[in-house]
């Protein structure tokens, strides 16, 4: 079998992504299983079967993957999986592995809580803001490093960004509550999230498929974390209210112990829930994207109208510019999440046209934002916030322009959806590099003020 059969190749990539996300399987094991699958497909094709037929029969013969194939069949019944896949039961080994993973997750969640608790006890308020990501994200990276069974070389590479961030954030002589200190505190977690991504993909950051898996994980993780935060907030509120009726003040306990451990632990637990694949987010992801995409378009169009009624871009309030940047980041996240949740083999549809409207609207807002920022810099001079915002909008502009071109080409039939996927996965590291560059260069450029 060669890669000149794009449809069969897409089937295998979809199968591989499904296998890797639905069980505690190392990257090396998945590689070995994929090699075996490809050998089976090649043998069956030489026997006269078509690519689709060979693929389906080959997966059926992979007895070690029966449980996963059963779930895959349940979600892809239109491709005749129900007729071709055996129906197995979970093994005791799988159950033991699940219990072992839960133990590791809980230990790392407690470790993150202890680190946050120690940070609040030992660090100043401003130092906590700078170091909060360093107190939590290493435990999340450790979970994926353990789960993916990364090599010693990858494990050593994971230490480098966290160590470098710790040195920069704590040795730079920031002025207290300065703009550069706030900028570093905001961008450090973004840069370190990509270090978590390196652990998530098992060190294979060059793989487009695994980068897309990380994009998908990020969206699902955010949904789970939000649900945990909402549920935890309600539970804490009810608990405090119940004790309050008994004239017992437990707010010190909640603030000193429950909130630090709950917030830090939720970061790790949410990742475990995504990995465990409770099949909740998988079902609601298309719903979320179809609900929020039109709403976001309406919001962007309303903002464009508001900008049009402003006499000059100089009259645009600085707070509005900041909010607009946050909205554009939200649009980017929605775009990536929508792409990751879409079936790459499906033909262009109505929602793809809606997606194009979203990209065009965001691009128009980005252009207005760039004009406003350049005008304000020319009129009033540069500041750390203006330079960072300008750079971020340029980074977003490049992505949106090329995304618009590829989406339009997909609708016209001159590009495949895979081209749009590939562009997004290969552009993702730019955001991490930009965040790291901001943390390293902006503070000294503006004398840490």
């Amino acid at each position: 079998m060669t890669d000149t059969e794009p449809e069969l190749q897409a089937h295998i990539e979809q199968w591989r992504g499904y296998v890797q996300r639905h069980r505690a399987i190392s990257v090396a094991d998945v590689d070995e299983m994929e090699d075996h699958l490809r050998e089976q497909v090649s043998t069956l094709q030489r026997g006269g079967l078509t690519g689709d037929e060979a693929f389906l029969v080959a997966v059926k013969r992979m007895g070690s993957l029966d449980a996963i194939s059963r779930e895959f069949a349940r979600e892809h019944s239109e491709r005749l999986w129900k007729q071709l896949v055996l129906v197995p039961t979970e093994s005791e080994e799988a159950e033991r592995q699940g219990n072992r993973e839960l133990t590791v997750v809980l230990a790392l969640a407690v470790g993150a809580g202890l680190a946050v608790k120690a940070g609040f006890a030992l660090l100043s308020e401003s130092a906590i803001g700078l170091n909060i990501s360093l107190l939590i994200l290493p435990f999340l990276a450790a979970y994926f490093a353990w789960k993916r069974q990364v090599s010693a070389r990858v494990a050593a590479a994971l230490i480098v960004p966290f160590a470098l961030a710790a040195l920069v954030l704590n040795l730079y002589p920031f002025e207290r509550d300065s703009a550069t200190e706030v900028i570093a505190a905001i961008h450090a977690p973004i840069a370190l999230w990509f270090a978590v991504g390196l652990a998530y993909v098992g060190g294979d950051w060059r793989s487009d498929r695994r980068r897309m898996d990380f994009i998908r994980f990020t969206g699902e993780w955010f949904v789970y974390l939000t649900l945990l935060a909402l549920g935890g907030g309600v539970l804490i509120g009810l608990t405090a209210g119940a004790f309050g009726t008994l004239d017992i003040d437990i707010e010190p306990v909640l603030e000193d112990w429950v909130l630090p451990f709950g917030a830090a632990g939720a970061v790790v637990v949410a990742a475990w829930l995504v990995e465990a694949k409770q099949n909740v987010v998988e079902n609601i992801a298309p719903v979320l994207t179809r609900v929020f995409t039109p709403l976001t378009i309406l919001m962007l169009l309303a903002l464009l109208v508001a900008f049009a009624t402003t006499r000059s871009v100089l009259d645009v309030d600085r707070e509005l510019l900041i909010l607009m940047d946050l909205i554009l980041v939200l649009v980017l996240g929605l775009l990536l999440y929508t792409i990751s949740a879409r079936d790459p083999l499906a033909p262009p549809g109505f929602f793809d046209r809606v997606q194009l409207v979203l990209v065009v609207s965001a691009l128009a807002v980005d252009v207005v934002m760039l004009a406003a920022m350049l005008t304000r810099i020319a009129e009033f001079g540069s500041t750390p916030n203006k330079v960072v915002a300008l750079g971020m909008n340029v980074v977003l502009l490049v992505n949106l322009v090329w995304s618009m071109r590829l989406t339009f080409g997909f609708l016209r039939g001159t590009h495949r959806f895979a081209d749009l996927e590939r562009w997004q996965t290969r552009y993702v590291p730019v955001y991490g590099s930009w965040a790291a560059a901001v943390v390293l260069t902006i503070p000294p450029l503006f004398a840490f003020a």
Side-chain angles (χ1 to χ4, degrees), residues 132-308:
I132 190 65
S133 57
L134 288 169
L135 299 174
I136 300 175
L137 292 185
F139 294 92
L140 182 57
Y143 165 61
F144 285 122
W146 171 83
K147 187 173 178 64
R148 304 290 188 255
Q149 301 178 23
V150 301
S151 64
R153 180 180 178 182
V154 174
L158 288 172
I159 297 175
V160 173
F162 290 103
L164 181 60
L167 291 174
V168 169
L169 295 175
N170 292 284
L171 294 181
Y172 272 4
F174 294 105
E175 293 184 12
R176 184 175 177 82
D177 297 326
S178 64
T180 57
E181 183 182 58
V182 174
I183 287 172
I186 292 173
H187 288 80
I190 299 174
L192 293 177
W193 185 252
F194 286 86
V196 174
L198 180 63
Y200 180 87
V201 300
D204 189 10
W205 189 247
R206 294 182 179 180
S207 170
D208 291 332
R209 179 181 59 249
R210 288 169 188 167
R211 288 185 190 178
M212 180 54 72
D213 287 341
F214 179 62
I215 292 172
R216 187 180 297 108
F217 160 78
T218 300
E220 296 179 358
W221 173 85
F222 181 78
V223 172
Y224 273 120
L225 186 65
T226 302
L227 293 174
L228 289 174
L230 291 174
V234 171
L235 181 60
I236 290 175
L238 291 175
T239 302
F243 276 90
T245 60
L246 300 175
D247 295 327
I248 300 176
D249 183 14
I250 64 166
E251 287 190 8
V253 176
L254 295 176
E255 293 176 358
D256 294 341
W257 295 97
V258 176
L259 286 178
F261 279 87
V267 172
V268 181
V269 172
W272 170 71
L273 289 175
V274 175
E275 288 290 288
K277 286 298 175 187
Q278 303 298 318
N279 294 324
V280 175
V281 174
E282 288 183 352
N283 293 330
I284 68 173
V287 178
L288 289 175
T289 56
R290 280 162 174 74
V291 169
F292 284 101
T293 297
L295 294 176
T296 305
I297 291 173
L298 292 175
M299 177 181 62
L300 292 174
L301 294 177
L303 287 170
L304 284 173
V305 172
F307 272 114

Side-chain angles (χ1 to χ4, degrees), residues 46-95:
R46 288 194 295 270
L49 295 182
T50 66
D52 283 350
E53 292 169 342
F55 174 67
L56 294 173
V57 173
V59 172
K60 176 187 175 183
R61 292 181 177 178
M62 296 184 69
S64 62
L65 290 181
D66 282 344
I68 304 172
S69 299
R70 173 190 174 189
E71 296 299 323
F72 198 64
R74 189 173 295 154
E75 297 185 13
H76 300 77
S77 58
E78 72 279 5
R79 297 176 187 171
L80 303 180
W81 280 87
K82 288 183 177 179
Q83 288 86 347
L84 293 172
V85 182
L86 299 176
V87 179
T89 58
E90 292 286 344
S91 66
E92 293 183 2
E93 177 60 28
E95 184 177 354

Side-chain angles (χ1 to χ4, degrees), residues 98-108:
N99 293 335
R100 183 162 58 249
E101 181 173 352
L102 179 58
T103 302
V104 171
V105 167
L106 293 178
L108 290 172

